[in-house]
């Protein structure tokens, strides 16, 4: 359905420009009723459907390239952070799929959910990104290493004392890690919670000054 102009040129031992000119004439003469040559003259496409599919992909790549050129340093940093976070989440999910135990599976599901919430909030509030530095550079990689080690141990045909002990320690540590990640997620709302408290305090003061609170009713 499509072929490189360079391959055609090599086959007929002609220059690519010559082949493009010949193909253009053939298309004009209706020898290839649905034939197309792409914009940079590198591909010959045999039918309209292939051409439209090719053009759709090309336009999407152009938009993606333009986006990458236009995005700011902060936008790029956020995008890369979210993409990296998705990789960690997928890795945790994959490990969970590979490990059959119900108890560890429940912990890994909670871990995935906790990590997902953190990245979702960062996407909504990018200015919080600096608060994720240790989380992404140390806490999360170390956690994933523990999870993958558990998967490796769980796949062993014979589980001796060392494997059983290590698995138990990892399961226990996951509980601590999940609670810590949940606490980190909550800390991302500290600024918002403070703003809410301030707004409530100001509102209550204004209402009291206008005599609109219970304490102010009946006062002149």
């Amino acid at each position: 359905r499509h072929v490189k102009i360079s391959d055609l040129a090599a086959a007929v031992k002609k220059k690519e420009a010559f082949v493009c000119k010949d193909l253009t004439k053939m298309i004009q003469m209706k020898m290839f009723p649905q034939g197309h040559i792409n914009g940079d003259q590198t591909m010959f496409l045999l039918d309209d459907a292939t051409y439209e599919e090719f053009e759709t992909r090309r336009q999407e790549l152009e938009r993606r390239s333009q986006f990458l050129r236009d995005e700011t340093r902060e936008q790029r940093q956020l995008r890369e952070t979210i993409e990296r976070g998705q990789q960690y989440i997928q890795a945790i999910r994959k490990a969970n799929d590979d490990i059959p135990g119900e108890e560890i599976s429940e912990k890994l599901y909670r871990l995935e959910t906790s990590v997902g919430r953190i990245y979702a909030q960062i996407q909504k509030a990018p200015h919080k990104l600096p608060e994720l530095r240790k989380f992404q550079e140390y806490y999360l990689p170390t956690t994933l290493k523990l999870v993958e080690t558990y998967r490796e141990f769980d796949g062993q045909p014979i589980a001796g004392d060392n494997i059983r002990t290590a698995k138990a320690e990892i399961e226990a540590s996951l509980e601590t890690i999940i609670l810590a990640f949940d606490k980190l997620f909550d800390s991302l709302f500290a600024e918002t919670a403070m703003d809410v408290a301030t707004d409530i305090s100001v509102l209550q003061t204004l209402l009291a000054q206008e005599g609109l609170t219970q304490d102010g009713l009946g006062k002149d």
Side-chain angles (χ1 to χ4, degrees):
R1 297 172 63 185
H2 61 83
V3 61
K4 291 181 179 179
I5 300 292
S6 58
D7 290 345
L8 290 174
V12 298
K13 296 182 172 57
K14 298 287 185 180
K15 291 184 178 180
E16 291 180 26
F18 177 88
V19 172
C20 278
K21 188 175 180 180
D22 261 13
L23 286 173
T24 300
K25 288 181 180 179
M26 291 178 185
I27 293 171
Q28 292 171 347
M29 294 171 63
K30 307 298 183 183
M31 296 177 67
F32 296 104
Q34 295 187 34
H36 296 273
I37 296 176
N38 69 328
D40 59 4
Q41 297 189 330
T42 58
M43 299 288 292
F44 175 56
L45 304 110
L46 295 171
D47 55 70
D48 292 339
T50 303
Y51 177 72
E52 289 172 7
E53 181 182 345
F54 188 87
E55 278 297 294
T56 298
R57 288 202 304 267
R58 181 187 63 79
Q59 291 170 12
E60 180 58 35
L61 286 173
E62 283 187 359
R63 284 194 293 269
R64 175 69 173 171
S65 297
Q66 187 63 43
F67 171 78
L68 293 177
R69 287 194 296 269
D70 292 345
E71 68 177 347
T72 64
R73 178 177 176 274
E74 290 76 16
Q75 289 172 331
R76 182 173 64 255
Q77 186 177 17
L78 176 63
R79 175 178 57 78
E80 291 174 349
T81 296
I82 298 302
E83 289 175 353
R84 188 175 174 190
Q86 288 302 316
Q87 291 172 358
Y88 280 119
I89 291 171
Q90 290 170 9
I92 293 170
R93 186 178 303 161
K94 177 65 168 59
N96 198 357
D97 290 341
D98 292 342
I99 300 171
E102 291 186 9
E103 186 174 347
I104 184 67
S105 180
E106 187 270 339
K107 289 181 186 294
L108 291 177
Y109 175 77
R110 287 169 54 207
L111 176 64
E112 178 189 334
T113 301
S114 182
V115 173
R117 280 199 299 255
I118 290 172
Y119 280 104
Q121 182 57 26
I122 287 297
Q123 195 161 16
K124 294 177 183 176
H127 64 284
K128 296 284 186 179
L129 193 57
E131 299 181 31
L132 280 196
R133 188 176 62 83
K134 281 188 178 179
F135 170 75
Q136 183 156 274
E137 294 181 2
Y138 181 73
Y139 299 151
L140 203 45
T142 303
T143 299
L144 182 58
K145 182 180 178 181
L146 290 174
V147 171
E148 291 180 339
T149 299
Y150 187 101
R151 175 172 58 186
E152 180 183 353
F153 285 160
D154 198 63
Q156 298 304 313
I158 299 176
D161 289 341
N162 288 330
I163 289 179
R164 285 194 296 270
T165 299
K167 286 175 64 178
E169 289 176 349
I170 292 173
E171 286 196 47
S173 70
L174 284 178
E175 192 65 38
T176 302
I177 290 168
I178 293 166
L179 292 175
F181 286 179
D182 286 345
K183 188 174 182 179
L184 173 60
F185 172 71
D186 185 64
S187 72
L188 297 175
F189 293 89
E191 183 180 325
T192 303
M194 187 177 297
D195 290 342
V196 169
T198 300
D199 289 342
I200 291 173
S201 177
V202 171
L203 181 60
Q204 288 176 338
T205 300
L206 292 174
L207 291 173
Q209 289 174 351
E210 295 294 330
L212 299 174
T213 61
Q214 187 65 35
D215 292 340
L217 292 177
K219 295 182 180 180
D220 294 330

